Amino acid sequence: MNLLLDSFWRAAAYCLHPRVILLSLLPLAIMLAVSAALGYFFWGAAVAAIAAWLDASSVWAVVSGWLVQLGAGNVRGIMAPLLLVLAVTPLVVVGALLLVALLMTPAVLRLVAERRFPALERRGANSMLGAALWSLGHTVLALLALVLSLPLWLVPPLILIVPPLIWGWLNYRVMSHDALDMHATRDERRTLLRQHRMPLLAIGVICGYLGAAPAVVWASFTLFAVAFPLLLPLGLWIYTLVFAFSALWFTHYGLAALQALRQGAPAAPQWSVIEPVLKPENAVMPALPHEP
């Protein structure tokens, strides 16, 4: 089976593991407490500030007038909280991502390594400081890219393309490093990231689109204000599950690719469903990883 698809279904199956479900609740509890506190003290003032900014914008005056002519109604009352949600969501995502990197990713990596790759030798540095600096540096770059791309979010098609691409790149850089940091040497990690760049980036982009789902849930506040206290934790939990799935997908893919690299198998992903025919004198039976 294709390495990309094989790691996908394994990651989906591992999301049902009780340990993964319990781990997903811890970042949820932390982010819920922080978000609730900030929302309680600053939501009204923030919405009022955005509404005032919209009133002072000549561009928004033209757009709102055009929407009113189309029968959109109270556009200002809808756009102010919606823009606030869109602006705050990246910060919540970053917080959740850092919590997942610190709390969930190491536990998920140990779970996959123990169950599927118990014989894979650990040759990596496994430095918490190095991983934290790597994650922080790429997170800052992703936030900077998000800030610079904010004007593009007003164009309807681009808001569905630009943020997931940025989060996909961030997922690719951070989670690929975390998945290989414990087991791979620096040279092995660079080799794998170079040879598997496109599949890993594809995983990151797909997970980036999955991570956009909570933003849709939170944006429902503009239509279901009473249910927002329920939509907020639901969105946060979806974030943690998406990040858990992302970590599992990267871990399964990365460790399988590392094992193939050490066994002398082709390091590049095999996209063909037809296996090449080996000559008898060159045929080697690969060792199958143990997985209960």
Side-chain angles (χ1 to χ4, degrees):
M1 184 183 290
N2 184 291
L3 179 57
L4 189 67
L5 296 179
D6 179 75
S7 56
F8 171 83
W9 75 259
R10 289 181 184 274
Y14 272 61
C15 283
L16 302 178
H17 195 282
R19 192 188 306 180
V20 175
I21 295 176
L22 289 176
L23 286 171
S24 69
L25 295 176
L26 182 57
L28 169 66
I30 297 175
M31 293 304 299
L32 179 60
V34 174
S35 300
L38 293 177
Y40 178 79
F41 289 105
F42 301 108
W43 176 265
V47 171
I50 293 179
W53 174 75
L54 289 176
D55 292 339
S57 173
S58 58
V59 175
W60 171 248
V62 175
V63 174
S64 62
W66 177 65
L67 292 176
V68 169
Q69 291 179 358
L70 294 177
N74 185 19
V75 182
R76 178 179 174 274
I78 295 177
M79 286 301 298
L82 180 60
L83 289 177
L84 178 59
V85 169
L86 293 176
V88 172
T89 295
L91 299 178
V92 177
V93 173
V94 170
L97 179 60
L98 292 177
L99 286 175
V100 168
L102 294 175
L103 303 176
M104 290 189 65
T105 303
V108 163
L109 178 59
R110 287 193 298 269
L111 177 65
V112 175
E114 292 171 0
R115 291 176 58 86
R116 190 181 173 199
F117 302 98
L120 189 62
E121 184 180 355
R122 299 182 180 182
R123 303 177 185 174
N126 193 25
S127 171
M128 292 186 61
L129 178 60
L133 292 177
W134 179 276
S135 300
L136 181 61
H138 285 83
T139 299
V140 171
L141 292 176
L143 281 177
L144 183 61
L146 283 170
V147 172
L148 295 177
S149 66
L150 279 177
L152 300 177
W153 294 23
L154 298 177
V155 181
L158 294 183
I159 195 174
L160 302 176
I161 298 175
V162 176
L165 287 178
I166 296 175
W167 292 127
W169 175 85
L170 180 60
N171 288 336
Y172 153 61
R173 297 298 295 175
V174 172
M175 292 192 173
S176 295
H177 180 277
D178 292 341
L180 296 170
D181 188 50
M182 182 183 296
H183 290 83
T185 64
R186 178 177 297 181
D187 291 338
E188 289 175 331
R189 185 171 65 246
R190 289 178 177 174
T191 300
L192 292 174
L193 292 180
R194 182 179 67 253
Q195 294 179 341
H196 295 262
R197 179 181 293 111
M198 293 309 298
L200 290 172
L201 183 58
I203 295 175
V205 172
I206 292 173
C207 294
Y209 275 103
L210 292 177
V216 177
V217 175
W218 286 5
S220 301
F221 169 72
T222 58
L223 301 177
F224 306 103
V226 177
F228 187 66
L230 298 178
L231 297 177
L232 177 62
L234 176 61
L236 287 172
W237 192 48
I238 294 175
Y239 268 127
T240 58
L241 287 180
V242 168
F243 286 138
F245 172 76
S246 303
L248 286 165
W249 197 355
F250 277 103
T251 301
H252 277 288
Y253 188 101
L255 295 186
L258 176 61
Q259 180 174 257
L261 179 67
R262 291 181 181 176
Q263 291 176 348
Q270 302 298 313
W271 299 104
S272 173
V273 296
I274 302 177
E275 294 293 335
V277 178
L278 298 176
K279 296 180 179 180
E281 60 270 21
N282 296 330
V284 178
M285 290 297 293
L288 295 178
H290 171 72
E291 182 174 6

